[in-house]
Amino acid sequence: MSTQSASKDSYPYQNEPTWSKSEKAIARTAFDAALGREFHEVIQKTKQMANSIQQSADLWELEHYLTQRRKEIDRKYDYRYSRLTQVFGRLLYERRLREEELGGLGADKLKSIRSLAKFLAEDKAA
Amino acid sequence: MSTQSASKDSYPYQNEPTWSKSEKAIARTAFDAALGREFHEVIQKTKQMANSIQQSADLWELEHYLTQRRKEIDRKYDYRYSRLTQVFGRLLYERRLREEELGGLGADKLKSIRSLAKFLAEDKAA
């Protein structure tokens, strides 16, 4: 156990794909674009909810909405290279990212990303 | 200690003023009016903040504002007869309540309420 634990600190992880410089640039652009779109969506929805507030319950509904979205975004947008194929897989599944935006990533990474998106779609449909 | 603890369950508390039926009606109306004005203020401010949102930080600033106001309102508007003179004292000090709205309460209660409002004002000025 202690050997396994110690290996966590060594870099790079044995089973993780490495990201080339150009892949990192593509990943960063795609990630930021999806995050920007997600923020835009939350901002629009917030303005809409705020404009419809009539009573106190509506205030706390908006507060709850914001808290949930903040937590969800924090959880979802994890820019660690060890997590990035999963992140992109989910964003593809949620249609927050188009496959063209990932063009230029290695075939192995694209395969993992597509495969996770497909899994999530099937899981949802089941 | 156990006697003191047990006395907590007995009603009415020994040192608390009792509230007549007409005083309860006046208190309820004044309390609801102040709370309504406070909600109105928070609703206006929320709409204003929401309309000015431009980036993600503004979203979480609005969330934080709403959380703080909810907690503050929960704490402040405590409609227990054992707490009501303190509640009105604070509302008077904060100018969320006009003294006329408390007209009809017993002189002892009005004295406690004014005295707390005065204490808070002096405490703030010190």
Side-chain angles (χ1 to χ4, degrees), chain A residues 9 12 21 58 61 73 81 83 92 98 103 125:
Chain A
D9 297 326
K21 202 171 167 181
D58 304 332
E61 197 188 311
I73 289 171
Y81 293 114
R83 298 283 307 146
L92 206 60
R98 293 184 310 279

Side-chain angles (χ1 to χ4, degrees), chain A:
Chain A
M1 281 303 274
S2 70
T3 323
Q4 217 174 18
S5 194
S7 77
K8 276 197 173 176
D9 297 326
S10 65
Y11 184 87
Y13 297 0
Q14 296 304 310
N15 297 317
E16 277 163 24
T18 52
W19 293 72
S20 71
K21 202 171 167 181
S22 75
E23 282 182 320
K24 286 182 181 181
I26 291 161
R28 175 49 83 181
T29 303
F31 184 95
D32 288 348
L35 183 56
R37 287 190 287 259
E38 182 125 18
F39 277 139
H40 180 75
E41 185 188 293
V42 180
I43 289 171
Q44 293 314 111
K45 173 79 174 172
T46 298
K47 289 179 191 253
Q48 203 182 80
M49 287 178 82
N51 280 326
S52 321
I53 290 174
Q54 293 194 322
Q55 51 187 355
S56 59
D58 304 332
L59 282 171
W60 317 138
E61 197 188 311
L62 175 57
E63 183 207 359
H64 182 71
Y65 167 77
L66 287 169
T67 304
Q68 292 306 107
R69 297 310 305 264
R70 179 173 49 74
K71 287 183 180 172
E72 187 197 322
I73 289 171
D74 275 356
R75 210 164 38 228
K76 195 157 68 180
Y77 289 85
D78 181 353
Y79 198 85
R80 284 179 293 175
Y81 293 114
S82 59
R83 298 283 307 146
L84 224 38
T85 53
Q86 287 94 319
V87 171
F88 286 146
R90 174 166 293 280
L91 292 174
L92 206 60
Y93 157 67
E94 292 182 356
R95 298 175 192 280
R96 299 193 178 281
L97 206 57
R98 293 184 310 279
E99 220 175 300
E100 306 87 86
E101 295 182 271
L102 300 173
L105 295 187
D108 56 333
K109 294 187 185 71
L110 285 173
K111 196 180 156 194
S112 301
I113 292 167
R114 274 190 215 108
S115 149
L116 180 65
K118 192 160 172 273
F119 167 79
L120 289 170
E122 286 168 358
D123 192 48
K124 171 93 173 180

Side-chain angles (χ1 to χ4, degrees), chain B residues 27-87:
Chain B
R28 175 50 79 182
T29 304
F31 184 95
D32 288 347
L35 183 56
R37 286 191 288 262
E38 183 125 18
F39 277 139
H40 180 74
E41 187 187 293
V42 180
I43 289 172
Q44 293 314 108
K45 174 79 173 169
T46 297
K47 287 177 192 255
Q48 204 182 81
M49 287 178 82
N51 280 326
S52 320
I53 290 174
Q54 292 193 323
Q55 52 186 354
S56 60
D58 304 332
L59 282 172
W60 317 138
E61 196 188 312
L62 175 57
E63 183 207 0
H64 182 71
Y65 168 76
L66 287 169
T67 304
Q68 292 305 105
R69 296 311 303 266
R70 180 173 50 74
K71 288 183 180 173
E72 187 196 323
I73 289 172
D74 275 354
R75 212 164 36 229
K76 195 158 66 179
Y77 290 85
D78 182 352
Y79 198 85
R80 283 179 293 175
Y81 293 113
S82 59
R83 297 284 308 146
L84 223 37
T85 53
Q86 287 95 318
V87 170

Side-chain angles (χ1 to χ4, degrees), chain B residues 70-112:
Chain B
R70 180 173 50 74
K71 288 183 180 173
E72 187 196 323
I73 289 172
D74 275 354
R75 212 164 36 229
K76 195 158 66 179
Y77 290 85
D78 182 352
Y79 198 85
R80 283 179 293 175
Y81 293 113
S82 59
R83 297 284 308 146
L84 223 37
T85 53
Q86 287 95 318
V87 170
F88 286 146
R90 174 165 293 281
L91 292 174
L92 204 62
Y93 156 68
E94 291 181 357
R95 297 176 193 277
R96 300 192 179 279
L97 206 56
R98 295 183 309 279
E99 220 176 300
E100 307 86 87
E101 295 182 270
L102 300 172
L105 295 186
D108 55 331
K109 294 186 185 71
L110 286 173
K111 198 180 155 192
S112 301

